[in-house]
Amino acid sequence: MYQVNPQEKDKTLANELLTAETKAHIDGWLTKYPIDQRRSAVIGALHAAQEQNEGWLSKDIMTAVAQYLEIPPIWVYEAASFYSMFHTQSCGKHKVSICTNISCMLNGAEKVVEQAEKTLGIKLGETTQDGKIMLVKEEECVAACVGAPVMLIDGHYHEKLCEKEIDKLLAELKEKD
Amino acid sequence: MTETTKITKDAIPENMVRIEIDDKEMIVPRGSMVIEAADKNGISIPRFCYHKKLSIAANCRMCMVDVEKVPKPLPACATPVMPDMKVFTKSKRAIDAQRNVMEFLLINHPLDCPICDQGGECELQDQSMGYGRGVSRYVDSKRVAVDENIGSLIATDMTRCITCTRCVRFLDEITGTDELGGIGRGDRTQIGTAVGRSIDSIMSGNIIDLCPVGALTNKPFRFKARAWELMSAQGVSMHDAIGSNLYYHTRQGKILRTVPKDNESLNEAWISDRDRYGVLGQDAEDRVTAPMVKENGEWKETDWATAMDLAVRKLQANDAKNTAVLAGNQSTNEEYFLLSKLFKALGCANIDYRLGQSDFTQASGLPRMDLNLDEVGNNQQIVLVGSHVGHEQPILAHRIRQAWLKNGSKVSIFNPKQYHFNFETFHHYVGTQIEWVNGLGSLAHCVADLNKVKLEGELGEWINAQATDENLNNLAKALVNKDSNVLFVIGQISNNHPQAGLIKAVVAWLSSQTDGKVYEMATGANAVGAQICGMGSQNSVADILASDSKSFLIYQAENDDFNNAYGAQIKLEDADSVVLMASFADDNMKQVADVILPIGLASEVAGSYFNNFAQMQGFGPAAKLPAETKPGWRVLRVLANMLNVDGFTYDSIDEISSEVALLTVNKGEIDTNIKVKAQKADDLVLFNETTIYDVDMLARRSQPLQDTVHASTDNLNINSVDAKKLGIENAMQIIVNQKVDGDTITQSLFANIDDKVPAGSVNVHKCVGLRTDALNVTLIVGDSV
Ligand code: SF4
Ligand code: FES
Ligand code: FES
């Protein structure tokens, strides 16, 4: 059943918070699905909203997305809390996610986590004091098992990691603004 | 081998299949699930997530069964039946699978049933008795969830949740409000709201019954009693005329909670929150539990004999012609029967129960009802006329939603406010109390044009005078279409409208033109019973308040029940004598009454109700009568004897019930040959709204209901356009003047800008004390106050 229950017509937050760019982006996603399955546009919409909101999704901006898509707010919140690429708390500018799923785990992902935590002085899920770098709490298989262990920095893949490589990557990241 | 006789192939109809469960042969509908077949044939399969009224999720895996020729166990709730399928629910493989699932379910579930409110009536507890291990093998730490406050009705203990998603599916599929969801993922998934919202559905309490564990429990009932200490007594809804069936759970004679009783033709498996929590009003502070008399302005408790003596003297103070009986609409048939019998015998013609209404031209019979509740879904076109249906008869709203959802029914609405509904609307006409009635007239005009009928009589002239318009013409076309069944629902906003008679006449005319049916709502749980028992055939409450009546008997009613609360109060103040027979007496009533006789609520006495479909439903006393309180029928019987009226020798309630059952029930009709009362807007038009938890004495006193978002406020809701024009801002104090019959009623309220109210209109809640029958008001704003 794809039916969407009738929603309150209130669009205050959507109009207030979403930029024209985000709205255009969401509109693009909406054209890809039949109107009664517009729930499917939620992931694309959340990406756009997260981008406009300094990399994280506040309660208000999620509600704004729900209003814009005319779907229940809980559906937006469910999706946002399910996927590791969405952040429901304010977070660092740069995101480092280390895959800890099976292939990477067998190839030493735990060590990678340990090293990253030590180098940055924070635990998984935390952000460095200067607000620059965040270690994403949990990353499941990113579909690059051939290159395990894998680390993502701001969405870019770094594969077959070794100690030296990790040090280099993190040092470079610290230099970035 | 099986003992049952073999079913031959030819005996199986096309749409059925033959299967065997545990060697028992059965024929079941093609496409149904194994669990349904088992349930119908009394074979028990353990389950958590499956519920017959909800979609199938198959996520708990508790219902594993063994199917012949299938290499692994299958979930019975998601496995369709196949011809000649053989299912085993008790084989080793089935039981092993069930035990394994149980062990996993208990991994994260606390094992502390003694401190859980669900203990003793918990599906998980029961089934772990059957399938669980004596000692847990799991030694690691358990998942813990943080609780949310989701309002005054439901308590949460989310650590106990087994994520069966019954609550999530109920709020999505049945109420359409989508307040709960699964947050997070995997073993850390938790059921929660979208960040700190409350659950505001008007049927929310049902998730308590659905939750198989102690994660969602009844908040006001929390830690009050254990399931095995409770007695169960059957009852009927005291708040609306659907007549939902329910059970009261009592301990030591006190009602502690209410749960639904399945009745497929009425409330199915659900009850509204009003029916679940309304009865908690029983313990309100102003409950009277002993007879009381007023001496020199002071209330004193006394014995029944003294109070009855005084009551008789007070009722004899004036002759019957100047005596009046005004009753509420939630007493039993038996009480109404005795009341009307007694006072008619005395020669009194001033008897009424329609206290909230003002136009009585079409209110002297039963409501017109052309169908049963379970036929609502058969209509492709449903037109709601003056109805906030979910707040008037929640179960009817549920039926309409299901009609929209399952049968694609199109619902159109005429209302004085833009309410939010849990079904899509085809045409949603919102206008002031005057405009929407005219809009209905426009629809009739369009229908007349399409059907090329000549409009006659006063009604015809009025319809003719209403402008036609494009939009309504579309609706009219859909309604006159020969292929669609049409249903018109006349709601309580119409019943209380000063043009009620006109509205009903237009609907009746429309139904005759479209071959449609009419569902005329009753206002009040037993308004139909009151009518059948003869409480409404005489002078109306409006006549009575305008008459010279000087002696009053007020029966289970109070000031807030009246359309004209202000006028009623003044009338009663001026009266020679006022006898109050009621369960509650608020300050207003105490001010005017001379003697109070405490009588029981419908939940405390035996009796019966008639519902909107004129079905008589009986019940016994569920709760003990508090202290000196007596059943109303007994008091009336004694009163009759003391007043020397013959024919009151009843020894038991059954004798009265059987007389009630013999009363003739005339089918409700609506007359289209009427006199039209025109209404004209001078300034702003008032919509005086009776809110969902303000419908009767009991609901008004239920604190858990009054703590929800649906409680009445003393706001003056006004459209932003009007607000701007008048310089009104939110929370400003506004004086409202309502002029009627040369009197002016003045109230001071707080502005709330709300575009659900149409321009040209102001909306207030009934409890603030304005009248419903006078539509014109003026506002005084700001400096001029
Ligand atoms: S709260 Fe209860 S009904 Fe809802 S998912 Fe959890 S166990 Fe099921
Ligand atoms: S497990 Fe790490 S990329 Fe697949
Ligand atoms: S009842 Fe079948 S999987 Fe839950």
Side-chain angles (χ1 to χ4, degrees):
Chain A
M1 203 187 347
Y2 294 114
Q3 140 271 336
V4 184
N5 289 314
Q7 300 298 305
E8 293 269 1
K9 296 280 173 289
D10 178 18
K11 296 240 165 123
T12 332
L13 277 177
N15 293 334
E16 232 170 68
L17 294 181
L18 302 180
T19 61
E21 207 187 334
T22 306
K23 282 183 188 160
H25 201 95
I26 301 179
D27 289 340
W29 283 105
L30 278 172
T31 57
K32 297 188 201 301
Y33 308 101
I35 182 77
D36 59 342
Q37 292 173 50
R38 59 186 182 275
R39 179 183 197 171
S40 306
V42 74
I43 293 186
L46 281 176
H47 274 302
Q50 179 160 278
E51 180 142 334
Q52 110 171 35
N53 195 47
E54 294 175 346
W56 72 290
L57 294 164
S58 63
K59 178 178 157 182
D60 282 351
I61 205 148
M62 286 192 279
T63 310
V65 168
Q67 286 180 355
Y68 195 77
L69 291 176
E70 293 180 25
I71 60 174
I74 188 77
W75 290 2
V76 177
Y77 193 57
E78 279 179 327
S81 66
F82 185 92
Y83 293 102
S84 54
M85 66 263 198
F86 296 128
H87 306 281
T88 51
Q89 247 136 35
S90 76
C91 52
K93 198 162 168 208
H94 302 294
K95 286 166 196 150
V96 177
S97 13
I98 302 162
C99 172
T100 49
N101 214 305
I102 184 100
S103 307
C104 292
M105 194 181 81
L106 291 172
N107 283 290
E110 274 163 39
K111 277 227 183 77
V112 182
V113 171
E114 207 175 295
Q115 193 187 340
E117 284 185 342
K118 219 161 94 201
T119 321
L120 297 172
I122 50 170
K123 294 264 169 228
L124 279 192
E126 292 175 354
T127 304
T128 52
Q129 227 145 48
D130 56 3
K132 243 166 96 176
I133 305 174
M134 175 198 198
L135 274 179
V136 174
K137 183 144 193 237
E138 183 183 66
E139 191 64 79
E140 302 300 348
C141 179
V142 292
C145 302
V146 278
V150 180
M151 172 159 92
L152 260 68
I153 298 181
D154 291 337
H156 290 284
Y157 282 64
H158 301 277
E159 307 182 355
K160 298 214 168 111
L161 297 166
C162 61
E163 235 172 272
K164 246 173 69 200
E165 176 78 2
I166 299 169
D167 270 340
K168 194 179 127 229
L169 286 170
L170 293 178
E172 278 173 16
L173 193 60
K174 279 190 193 164
E175 292 308 304
K176 266 198 193 166
D177 50 28
Chain B
M1 261 329 286
T2 69
E3 294 148 38
T4 44
T5 47
K6 276 272 172 219
I7 300 166
T8 59
K9 271 236 153 60
D10 311 334
I12 305 171
E14 188 61 16
N15 54 348
M16 306 286 269
V17 296
R18 190 203 77 99
I19 64 164
E20 277 176 34
I21 303 182
D22 294 346
D23 293 333
K24 191 173 171 195
E25 220 181 3
M26 55 191 79
I27 302 186
V28 294
R30 204 177 274 277
S32 63
M33 300 295 160
V34 171
I35 205 167
E36 294 173 62
D39 283 353
K40 242 182 254 145
N41 287 278
I43 296 169
S44 72
I45 296 176
R47 86 280 311 268
F48 292 115
C49 68
Y50 173 77
H51 189 277
K52 60 178 193 281
K53 293 277 176 192
L54 302 177
S55 67
I56 290 164
N59 59 17
C60 76
R61 312 315 270 186
M62 190 62 211
C63 61
M64 290 296 185
V65 292
D66 194 4
V67 179
E68 191 188 59
K69 295 202 202 93
V70 178
K72 54 178 188 159
L74 295 175
C77 70
T79 304
V81 292
M82 295 288 175
D84 296 322
M85 183 184 221
K86 279 191 174 170
V87 180
F88 303 97
T89 68
K90 309 266 170 337
S91 70
K92 173 144 186 348
R93 186 151 62 170
I95 298 283
D96 278 352
Q98 292 163 3
R99 282 177 172 274
N100 291 342
V101 169
M102 178 53 75
E103 187 166 15
F104 272 109
L105 280 174
L106 291 180
I107 276 185
N108 271 321
H109 192 85
L111 301 176
D112 56 358
C113 305
I115 62 158
C116 172
D117 203 29
Q118 188 91 349
E121 51 177 348
C122 174
E123 292 173 44
L124 186 65
Q125 195 182 28
D126 293 349
Q127 294 186 15
S128 64
M129 290 299 286
Y131 302 92
R133 303 171 66 94
V135 177
S136 172
R137 293 191 289 179
Y138 182 74
V139 290
D140 295 308
S141 57
K142 291 187 178 235
R143 184 200 58 184
V144 182
V146 182
D147 281 323
E148 285 182 81
N149 181 0
I150 54 172
S152 58
L153 306 180
I154 302 164
T156 60
D157 197 344
M158 296 320 277
T159 302
R160 302 185 184 282
C161 171
I162 57 168
T163 44
C164 70
T165 69
R166 274 189 189 175
C167 56
V168 176
R169 281 174 286 146
F170 175 84
L171 293 173
D172 179 41
E173 295 159 16
I174 306 296
T175 66
T177 43
D178 298 289
E179 287 124 326
L180 288 177
I183 312 297
R185 106 177 90 121
D187 66 331
R188 267 155 280 178
T189 308
Q190 291 185 5
I191 301 299
T193 63
V195 206
R197 286 165 190 252
S198 56
I199 295 190
D200 299 331
S201 151
I202 46 164
M203 303 250 286
S204 67
N206 293 296
I207 62 177
I208 297 164
D209 306 327
L210 286 171
C211 184
V213 295
L216 303 172
T217 52
N218 187 319
K219 207 174 216 177
F221 174 71
R222 200 158 207 225
F223 302 135
K224 290 259 164 56
R226 281 301 189 186
W228 57 84
E229 301 172 310
L230 296 172
M231 306 269 283
S232 180
Q234 204 176 308
V236 172
S237 160
M238 290 189 279
H239 308 286
D240 68 51
I242 293 289
S244 293
N245 291 185
L246 37 88
Y247 288 115
Y248 293 115
H249 286 171
T250 62
R251 193 182 60 177
Q252 291 164 0
K254 192 171 176 64
I255 295 175
L256 295 181
R257 70 172 175 190
T258 313
V259 296
K261 172 173 188 267
D262 282 17
N263 183 334
E264 214 30 53
S265 62
L266 296 176
N267 50 311
E268 299 177 34
W270 321 118
I271 50 173
S272 64
D273 288 350
R274 194 167 59 191
D275 289 344
R276 188 179 298 266
Y277 300 101
V279 72
L280 298 178
Q282 65 191 1
D283 306 318
E285 259 180 20
D286 61 358
R287 180 88 205 236
V288 276
T289 55
M292 299 213 273
V293 294
K294 202 193 256 165
E295 277 171 21
N296 307 324
E298 292 274 321
W299 281 100
K300 286 223 169 64
E301 290 194 359
T302 177
D303 53 85
W304 270 97
T306 316
M308 289 293 278
D309 264 345
L310 183 63
V312 168
R313 263 186 285 133
K314 291 289 177 190
L315 287 174
Q316 286 171 329
N318 279 286
D319 58 19
K321 289 202 175 49
N322 289 325
T323 303
V325 180
L326 297 172
N329 53 31
Q330 60 176 170
S331 300
T332 61
N333 294 329
E334 289 70 13
E335 293 168 88
Y336 289 136
F337 179 75
L338 294 192
L339 254 183
S340 80
K341 181 171 170 183
L342 168 58
F343 281 86
K344 280 179 188 161
L346 290 170
C348 170
N350 304 318
I351 308 175
D352 204 0
Y353 68 96
R354 299 161 297 181
L355 309 188
Q357 298 181 28
S358 56
D359 178 6
F360 301 91
T361 50
Q362 305 253 23
S364 52
L366 290 191
R368 174 168 160 190
M369 181 61 70
D370 301 344
L371 76 179
N372 288 323
L373 186 61
D374 50 11
E375 292 162 345
V376 166
N378 302 346
N379 297 284
Q380 286 82 38
Q381 293 287 342
I382 300 175
V383 185
L384 293 180
V385 180
S387 180
H388 190 187
V389 58
H391 287 212
E392 296 168 357
Q393 293 189 343
I395 298 290
L396 173 62
H398 160 68
R399 294 279 184 172
I400 294 176
R401 172 171 158 83
Q402 295 304 316
W404 164 70
L405 210 56
K406 304 228 170 92
N407 307 346
S409 304
K410 297 228 169 15
V411 191
S412 301
I413 293 162
F414 288 84
N415 260 347
K417 192 173 173 182
Q418 181 98 31
Y419 292 114
H420 178 69
F421 292 97
N422 56 2
F423 38 79
E424 263 163 26
T425 48
F426 182 48
H427 279 273
H428 199 152
Y429 191 102
V430 177
T432 69
Q433 279 279 64
I434 294 173
E435 287 164 1
W436 77 257
V437 178
N438 294 347
L440 187 69
S442 300
L443 174 69
H445 195 167
C446 294
V447 167
D449 287 355
L450 287 170
N451 282 356
K452 303 201 176 54
V453 286
K454 230 182 106 220
L455 292 161
E456 276 158 354
E458 263 193 53
L459 179 66
E461 268 169 41
W462 182 82
I463 291 176
N464 220 353
Q466 308 309 317
T468 55
D469 89 59
E470 190 74 28
N471 259 325
L472 289 170
N473 202 34
N474 278 334
L475 175 58
K477 276 185 200 149
L479 297 183
V480 298
N481 183 341
K482 287 279 167 298
D483 299 326
S484 63
N485 295 335
V486 182
L487 172 66
F488 294 91
V489 177
I490 301 175
Q492 294 176 1
I493 293 173
S494 296
N495 286 344
N496 292 343
H497 197 284
Q499 289 173 303
L502 170 64
I503 296 168
K504 291 176 188 181
V506 179
V507 169
W509 184 87
L510 276 167
S511 76
S512 70
Q513 287 298 314
T514 56
D515 232 348
K517 296 201 155 78
V518 177
Y519 180 126
E520 187 182 348
M521 242 187 247
T523 304
N526 199 25
V528 174
Q531 184 65 43
I532 292 175
C533 294
M535 293 288 297
S537 48
Q538 318 270 308
N539 296 337
S540 74
V541 53
D543 300 336
I544 294 169
L545 292 182
S547 74
D548 298 326
S549 294
K550 284 281 178 198
S551 285
F552 286 87
L553 172 64
I554 307 291
Y555 196 93
Q556 289 289 35
E558 61 186 348
N559 192 256
D560 282 347
D561 290 322
F562 288 86
N563 147 51
N564 182 2
Y566 170 81
Q569 190 69 15
I570 290 184
K571 183 80 187 170
L572 294 177
E573 264 169 35
D574 290 348
D576 293 340
S577 61
V578 176
V579 176
L580 177 64
M581 286 180 74
S583 303
F584 307 99
D586 65 1
D587 290 344
N588 281 328
M589 274 299 145
K590 281 200 168 144
Q591 193 192 330
V592 297
D594 301 301
V595 47
I596 303 176
L597 306 174
I599 55 172
L601 295 159
S603 50
E604 297 159 349
V605 301
S608 60
Y609 272 8
F610 278 103
N611 66 8
N612 221 147
F613 315 93
Q615 297 164 317
M616 187 172 165
Q617 303 194 95
F619 43 82
K624 242 186 4 217
L625 290 158
E628 295 296 306
T629 314
K630 296 222 180 300
W633 72 270
R634 283 193 183 275
V635 181
L636 288 169
R637 197 200 92 129
V638 175
L639 207 57
N641 293 341
M642 291 172 79
L643 287 163
N644 298 321
V645 179
D646 289 340
F648 283 80
T649 52
Y650 309 101
D651 285 326
S652 79
I653 187 87
D654 296 342
E655 293 171 34
I656 313 171
S657 302
S658 47
E659 284 190 31
V660 171
L662 293 177
L663 292 173
T664 31
V665 177
N666 294 320
K667 228 175 139 12
E669 276 167 22
I670 298 174
D671 195 358
T672 47
N673 190 5
I674 55 154
K675 289 217 162 349
V676 174
K677 268 195 276 178
Q679 286 280 354
K680 192 169 116 294
D682 298 336
D683 188 359
L684 288 166
V685 179
L686 176 71
F687 169 40
N688 195 356
E689 179 182 14
T690 306
T691 56
I692 177 166
Y693 301 140
D694 198 9
V695 289
D696 53 59
M697 302 175 98
L698 202 48
R700 261 172 227 138
R701 287 173 172 76
S702 165
Q703 200 52 49
L705 291 180
Q706 296 306 332
D707 289 341
T708 65
V709 294
H710 302 299
S712 295
T713 63
D714 53 3
N715 283 348
L716 174 105
N717 302 315
I718 185 163
N719 187 287
S720 54
V721 174
D722 294 321
K724 202 157 168 211
K725 234 189 292 169
L726 296 166
I728 293 178
E729 278 164 34
N730 267 328
M732 244 185 195
Q733 198 164 0
I734 311 280
I735 305 283
V736 188
N737 283 320
Q738 182 177 39
K739 272 214 179 61
V740 48
D741 305 340
D743 247 339
T744 305
I745 306 176
T746 301
Q747 294 292 347
S748 163
L749 304 170
F750 294 96
N752 176 43
I753 299 172
D754 181 356
D755 283 339
K756 293 194 162 104
V757 179
S761 174
V762 293
N763 163 236
V764 303
H765 293 161
K766 169 106 188 355
C767 62
V768 305
L770 294 174
R771 288 174 65 155
T772 31
D773 58 340
L775 297 180
N776 282 300
V777 290
T778 49
L779 305 185
I780 306 175
V781 188
D783 291 340
S784 44
V785 173

